[in-house]
Amino acid sequence: QVQLVESGGGLVQAGGSLRLSCAVSGSIFSTNAMGWYRQAPGKQRELVAGFTRGGSTNYRDSVKGRFTISRDNAKNTVYLQMNSLKPEDTAVYYCNSYPMVSLIWGKGTLVTVSS
């Protein structure tokens, strides 16, 4: 069964940290080519960070130095460590393939950063 299950979101104060997890199942996904995306209220979904099959990482400018994407291939899990969180990081966070997203999305995990 093809599935993406995100977890780890919550309410945190500005400056705090959270670690998101994405459990990946199904042959169309590979933890070697996965990314994290987010969608804030009233805004389009955007890339946050991603792994390429070549092993490189890509981060949007606003999270560079604060967020770190990692993976555990044995557990088929991708993580997003988020430090120094800001209110503008508030969004529902999703994982999906990267750089080409699939049509399959999980339910996401809500991150709310209070000021």
Side-chain angles (χ1 to χ4, degrees):
Q1 182 180 2
V2 177
Q3 200 170 15
L4 299 168
V5 180
E6 302 91 349
S7 62
L11 173 63
V12 63
Q13 288 188 331
S17 298
L18 285 173
R19 188 194 193 203
L20 307 184
S21 298
C22 169
V24 180
S25 62
S27 60
I28 68 170
F29 293 112
S30 167
T31 52
N32 293 326
M34 293 292 293
W36 282 96
Y37 303 80
R38 68 186 181 188
Q39 187 167 20
K43 295 186 176 181
Q44 289 189 332
R45 195 170 296 174
E46 61 187 18
L47 173 71
V48 177
F51 275 119
T52 68
R53 289 188 180 272
S56 62
T57 55
N58 185 28
Y59 295 92
R60 72 180 304 103
D61 287 346
S62 62
V63 307
K64 285 180 181 177
R66 301 188 297 122
F67 290 11
T68 304
I69 188 171
S70 63
R71 62 188 175 221
D72 184 333
N73 291 339
K75 295 182 178 180
N76 285 332
T77 301
V78 181
Y79 304 97
L80 185 68
Q81 178 67 44
M82 306 187 296
N83 299 328
S84 302
L85 282 161
K86 303 176 180 180
E88 51 264 43
D89 294 319
T90 295
V92 178
Y93 284 71
Y94 303 86
C95 59
N96 207 314
S97 53
Y98 173 81
M100 298 294 292
V101 296
S102 78
L103 296 177
I104 299 171
W105 291 90
K107 294 182 179 180
T109 186
L110 176 63
V111 172
T112 304
V113 184
S114 63
S115 57

